[in-house]
Amino acid sequence: MTQLLQPDICVIGGGSAGLSVAAGAAAFGVPVVLIERGRMGGDCLNYGCVPSKALIAAGRHAHAVRKAAEFGVFAGEPAIDFERVHAHVRSVIDAIAPNDSVERFTALGVKVIEAEARFVDRDTIEAGGFTIRARRFVIATGSSAMVPSIPGLVSIDYLTNETLFDLTRLPDHLLIIGAGPVGLEMAQAHSRLGAKVTVIEAARALAKEDAELTRVALDRLRGEGITILENSRVLSVEKAGQGVRLQCETQEGARTIDGSALLLAAGRKADTAGLGLDAAGIAETTTGIAVDASLRTGNRRVYAIGDASGGLQFTHAANYHASLVLREILFRLPARENRDIIPRVTFTDPEIAAVGLSEEEARKRYGHVEILRWPFAENDRAQAERATTGLIKVIVGRRGRILGVGIVGSGAAEMINMWSLIIANGQSLRHLGRAIAPYPTMTEIGKRAVIAYYTPLTRKPFVRAVIRLLRRLG
Ligand SMILES: Cc1cc2nc3c(=O)[nH]c(=O)nc-3n(C[C@H](O)[C@H](O)[C@H](O)COP(=O)(O)OP(=O)(O)OC[C@H]3O[C@@H](n4cnc5c(N)ncnc54)[C@H](O)[C@@H]3O)c2cc1C
């Protein structure tokens, strides 16, 4: 005998997307049921953003120790205790976990069911002994690592983002399939903590971002000793002693690569297996659940958001989706997803951050566009920090409208915030021109790029040098 629940909203999945919907609905006093089959907090908290950024932070500290001599501070090669690194990563997760816990959501008024959810028909879900008939359903079941069909892969113990952060011993030689953001962020973090790292990528590394920006980061990663093989395919995988052996077709020909562990970072697939989408009349595409611009599925009662909907797979995109469906469900206000305003960040060092259209997209959409650039090397704060690698690229349309911005360099992920505001509000260079950037901050590079728009002369290196001198003189 199952118990019948009839809330206004039933959310499936307690990750970034689902928790945002549940918390938002509960804040307005709307009855909401949240169903989670695994760990509350989903990928971001347990297997994604949080542990990866904690590991990257540990790697950054190791790197800073190595680089300290450039500042006249001598510390030598850092000693890495990987068990302690692992404990640091765990403690960061533990510090954040209460925000996403069953206890917190129950206290907010959400009915949390810890079980697997499944549609039994267009209007009904079953989970953990409950039958739920809600006014609206929100599918927020996320994604997991894609397992490529490579001969031999199933017979070895490979790592994914769900197991990587459980390691208490640093792999001697970490092999990574896939040079997207996850693959390269983890490559650099492990390399800085002392592992040898080889990344194999079938196409171009960081292919979704502007090559002019990614080249800068890739040069740095390679300079730090990471091997990144682009346009290379893994043909087969086998066990080799305690480790793993890859047979690869690289640009330089066939290669055998031995490593001690293998991480899969070759893309993500939406988690929809066992969800009963057919019973609910919901279709899927190759990337995820099929939705329209307002994130509704073919079943008008059901929305799909976050990674499960197959768009940009970021926590902030999941949160944005949540705000859109809440707007529709709670206030009956029309909501349309605008992907142009969702920032994209790769947390390598240097970071790569972008928002709006890339140069290529802008040229396709508008024909003529202007590109403004300013290098970090021309920024006084960057000089002081010895962080002179990188540049900003601003894509400008008619009447100075800012269509897109890309930054590669130290602090790019923080800097892109200001540009997100500008792009979201459809603002132009004129608006930016009114703002005053404190000196000396890296953010000034944006302002300098804009000045270059008004004064083409300043694009000449000699004139730039004079400007810098004058600024210093006050
Ligand atoms: C290594 C890594 C690093 C990342 N770093 C960043 C970053 O720095 N910044 C960023 O913005 N994004 C980052 N991401 C992406 C980010 O983690 C995801 O975009 C985000 O977690 C998506 O949230 P979601 O709610 O859609 O899915 P998830 O967080 O995956 O949550 C889905 C939840 O649904 C549950 N579920 C699935 N099926 C069912 C079912 N049938 N019944 C009940 N429950 C179910 C799952 O157990 C899961 O808890 C990273 C991802 C990875 C893998």
Side-chain angles (χ1 to χ4, degrees):
M1 218 5 219
T2 62
Q3 190 183 331
L4 179 66
L5 300 175
Q6 292 179 297
D8 267 32
I9 305 176
C10 173
V11 182
I12 308 139
S16 310
L19 292 180
S20 301
V21 174
F28 284 97
V30 173
V32 51
V33 166
L34 172 72
I35 311 169
E36 170 55 57
R37 70 176 177 192
R39 291 193 190 166
M40 290 285 279
D43 263 17
C44 185
L45 173 64
N46 300 293
Y47 321 109
C49 332
V50 172
S52 65
K53 265 74 254 177
L55 199 73
I56 287 169
R60 189 170 55 246
H61 278 78
H63 184 70
V65 172
R66 286 188 196 103
K67 290 279 160 189
E70 290 178 10
F71 296 83
V73 179
F74 295 88
E77 181 59 22
I80 313 282
D81 178 341
F82 200 72
E83 268 188 46
R84 295 275 285 272
V85 172
H86 175 259
H88 147 71
V89 172
R90 286 287 348 149
S91 72
V92 174
I93 295 174
D94 292 346
I96 299 171
N99 296 338
D100 294 355
S101 63
V102 173
E103 294 71 23
R104 171 163 180 256
F105 276 79
T106 305
L108 290 175
V110 176
K111 165 81 182 160
V112 181
I113 299 173
E114 293 181 83
E116 175 142 2
R118 184 176 56 91
F119 281 96
V120 290
D121 61 38
R122 292 180 65 88
D123 311 320
T124 318
I125 271 189
E126 283 186 359
F130 292 93
T131 296
I132 302 119
R133 290 210 185 95
R135 191 168 67 81
R136 294 285 180 263
F137 292 92
V138 180
I139 303 176
T141 51
S143 67
S144 45
M146 180 119 66
V147 180
S149 54
I150 300 171
L153 194 55
V154 287
S155 57
I156 66 151
D157 285 334
Y158 55 76
L159 298 164
T160 67
N161 65 298
E162 288 190 29
T163 48
L164 179 70
F165 305 108
D166 292 337
L167 296 185
T168 51
R169 192 177 166 276
L170 182 73
D172 293 332
H173 184 184
L174 179 62
L175 308 178
I176 302 177
I177 300 183
V182 172
L184 290 185
E185 287 178 13
M186 291 304 91
Q188 191 176 39
H190 284 82
S191 165
R192 288 179 163 189
L193 291 168
K196 181 178 173 190
V197 179
T198 303
V199 186
I200 302 108
E201 165 60 52
R204 169 169 85 77
L206 297 172
K208 290 185 184 154
E209 296 303 334
D210 182 337
E212 182 181 348
L213 304 178
T214 60
R215 199 175 304 126
V216 176
L218 292 172
D219 283 352
R220 168 73 72 77
L221 265 65
R222 287 183 167 119
E224 288 183 16
I226 300 165
T227 303
I228 304 167
L229 304 170
E230 296 177 272
N231 302 306
S232 300
R233 279 171 8 104
V234 180
L235 303 176
S236 68
V237 182
E238 64 191 294
K239 253 181 115 127
Q242 294 300 305
V244 53
R245 174 167 297 157
L246 307 183
Q247 302 296 345
C248 301
E249 186 61 49
T250 73
Q251 281 178 307
E252 286 78 41
R255 264 184 74 174
T256 301
I257 307 172
D258 285 345
S260 43
L262 175 66
L263 170 66
L264 301 186
R268 315 275 307 163
K269 66 165 177 44
D271 277 337
T272 55
L275 200 51
L277 292 182
D278 282 349
I282 296 169
E284 287 188 80
T285 67
T286 48
T287 53
I289 295 173
V291 288
D292 62 16
S294 63
L295 302 166
R296 252 186 215 215
T297 67
N299 178 338
R300 306 293 296 158
R301 206 181 268 280
V302 185
Y303 293 82
I305 64 171
D307 282 13
S309 62
L312 286 178
Q313 295 181 322
F314 292 105
T315 282
H316 50 269
N319 296 337
Y320 168 54
H321 285 178
S323 69
L324 292 178
V325 299
L326 282 172
R327 200 180 138 96
E328 279 220 347
I329 299 175
L330 301 187
F331 307 113
R332 293 173 199 262
L333 293 169
R336 292 176 72 80
E337 185 195 22
N338 177 2
R339 288 202 186 156
D340 292 350
I341 65 168
I342 303 175
R344 311 175 299 276
V345 177
T346 303
F347 290 88
T348 45
D349 175 17
E351 291 170 344
I352 304 165
V355 63
L357 303 182
S358 66
E359 178 181 349
E360 198 184 334
E361 288 164 339
R363 287 197 192 286
K364 249 187 231 154
R365 204 180 288 182
Y366 295 104
H368 177 74
V369 292
E370 265 216 66
I371 310 296
L372 308 177
R373 294 180 177 82
W374 199 265
F376 273 62
E378 298 280 350
N379 176 277
D380 295 0
R381 181 63 182 274
Q383 288 288 351
E385 301 286 341
R386 306 191 80 83
T388 51
T389 306
L391 77 150
I392 188 168
K393 194 169 163 181
V394 184
I395 294 113
V396 184
R398 277 162 55 85
R399 288 198 284 275
R401 179 154 170 237
I402 300 171
L403 303 175
V405 177
I407 309 172
V408 57
S410 177
E414 298 290 341
M415 268 187 244
I416 207 70
N417 273 301
M418 177 184 84
W419 297 98
S420 290
L421 186 70
I422 287 169
I423 298 273
N425 289 302
Q427 290 182 328
S428 69
L429 295 174
R430 190 167 48 87
H431 295 98
L432 191 72
R434 286 192 201 130
I436 299 162
Y439 174 86
T441 55
M442 307 264 197
T443 311
E444 285 181 287
I445 57 166
K447 193 93 181 175
R448 306 311 303 172
V450 169
I451 291 171
Y453 177 81
Y454 293 109
T455 52
L457 250 185
T458 59
R459 291 175 212 175
K460 303 213 176 296
F462 167 74
V463 180
R464 277 197 219 155
V466 173
I467 289 172
R468 282 184 56 213
L469 187 67
L470 289 174
R471 290 187 70 239
R472 256 194 237 121
L473 294 174

